[in-house]
Amino acid sequence: MSETNREGKRAARERLKAERVKEEARTKRRRGLVVGGAVVGVLALAAAVGVIAANTGKSEKQAGPVVAPKGATGEDGLAIPVGDASAKSTLVIWEDFRCPACANFENAYRSTIHELTDKGLLKVEYHLATLIDGNMRGEGSHRAANAAVCAQDAGKFPEYHDVLFANQPLETEDDFASTDRLLELAGKVDGLVTPEFRSCVRDGAHDAWVAESHKAFQKGNFPGTPTVLLNGKSVFGDQKDPLTPAKLKQLVQEKAGA
């Protein structure tokens, strides 16, 4: 082989090596962008998905008397409060237990919200909607909401709320329509599964309340789920500077003078 051919092959190998290095660098940058923008992406995706959901969701289970859960607050008793009522900051959250964007929000913010409520700096008002039942068919949103309200009666709403989102099925799968599945997940919360709780879940004791909650969501003309308001202002309002867990903590601490 001539020296010229050897040099040509060597040059070709060097070019291929350089291209591989460049491609690996591009791949790492893409991964970094995905990881670094995960929380921001959660909020943007939540807003986009919610808009679609809000246009089509319906709630059908409305029979029976409206039975508000213990401790419910707000207009018509449709808010489930968590945290110190005297906290200076209020986070209002409208959620659907089948909504994947809601689960993304919860997974990103759960620990921060717990930290702030535990310190008495933040109170949260949870409102339940059943959008995905209307979009994807089924009744898992409604059944899960009723079960969560039953957990509120038992003083275990925050714990069961977190378990439901941590074990959320695929949006296309209506696993939460099964009361057996809901009771199985309730077993992950110490002391929740009692005869009273089982009866409440199986009998749909709060079905009419859940339906009223969803009607309130529709009447509010909210863009979708999750809808999240911090002290009355949507956290999705400024996509150029969206809320993050760190920013939420900063805003709440500043409001409290902490």
Side-chain angles (χ1 to χ4, degrees):
M1 181 181 294
S2 69
E3 184 63 28
T4 300
N5 287 339
R6 281 196 293 271
E7 287 298 325
K9 289 186 176 181
R10 185 180 301 112
R13 287 195 297 270
E14 290 299 324
R15 285 196 298 272
L16 288 173
K17 181 178 178 181
E19 285 300 320
R20 284 196 297 271
V21 170
K22 289 180 181 179
E23 180 58 31
E24 289 174 359
R26 284 193 292 267
T27 299
K28 288 180 180 179
R29 284 197 298 272
R30 286 195 295 269
R31 288 173 179 169
L33 288 172
V34 169
V35 173
V39 172
V40 173
V42 163
L43 296 178
L45 177 60
V49 172
V51 169
I52 296 171
N55 289 333
T56 55
K58 296 180 180 179
S59 178
E60 298 178 355
K61 291 183 175 296
Q62 302 178 20
V66 176
V67 181
K70 293 179 180 178
T73 60
E75 186 176 354
D76 298 325
L78 294 177
I80 297 178
V82 174
D84 189 339
S86 65
K88 292 186 178 181
S89 287
T90 301
L91 195 68
V92 175
I93 305 177
W94 286 88
E95 294 181 312
D96 181 329
F97 286 110
R98 286 181 70 187
C99 164
C102 298
N104 288 340
F105 173 81
E106 285 295 334
N107 290 336
Y109 285 81
R110 181 180 296 118
S111 61
T112 301
I113 290 173
H114 284 326
E115 177 184 351
L116 294 172
T117 55
D118 289 347
K119 289 181 178 179
L121 301 178
L122 177 71
K123 58 178 177 288
V124 185
E125 294 180 0
Y126 290 96
H127 297 262
L128 307 181
T130 58
L131 295 168
I132 306 302
D133 284 356
N135 290 350
M136 306 302 297
R137 304 297 181 187
E139 56 179 16
S141 297
H142 193 106
R143 295 264 61 82
N146 173 72
V149 178
C150 293
Q152 169 66 12
D153 286 339
K156 303 280 186 178
F157 175 83
E159 298 91 336
Y160 190 52
H161 164 276
D162 291 352
V163 166
L164 288 175
F165 276 119
N167 291 273
Q168 185 188 72
L170 293 175
E171 186 180 13
T172 54
E173 298 177 0
D174 200 22
D175 291 6
F176 284 169
S178 167
T179 53
D180 287 341
R181 176 58 175 160
L182 294 172
L183 290 170
E184 176 189 353
L185 291 175
K188 297 178 179 290
V189 178
D190 290 344
L192 177 56
V193 182
T194 62
E196 292 78 14
F197 177 78
R198 287 179 180 275
S199 177
C200 185
V201 173
R202 293 195 182 281
D203 296 344
H206 295 291
D207 277 351
W209 183 92
V210 173
E212 288 301 310
S213 180
H214 183 71
K215 285 181 184 178
F217 175 79
Q218 292 175 313
K219 290 177 181 178
N221 293 317
F222 298 113
T225 54
T227 286
V228 185
L229 309 172
L230 176 61
N231 297 325
K233 183 179 179 180
S234 172
V235 301
F236 305 134
D238 185 359
Q239 286 301 307
K240 294 181 180 179
D241 185 24
L243 192 71
T244 64
K247 187 175 179 182
L248 171 63
K249 185 174 181 180
Q250 177 186 350
L251 291 172
V252 170
Q253 289 176 331
E254 289 176 353
K255 184 79 171 179

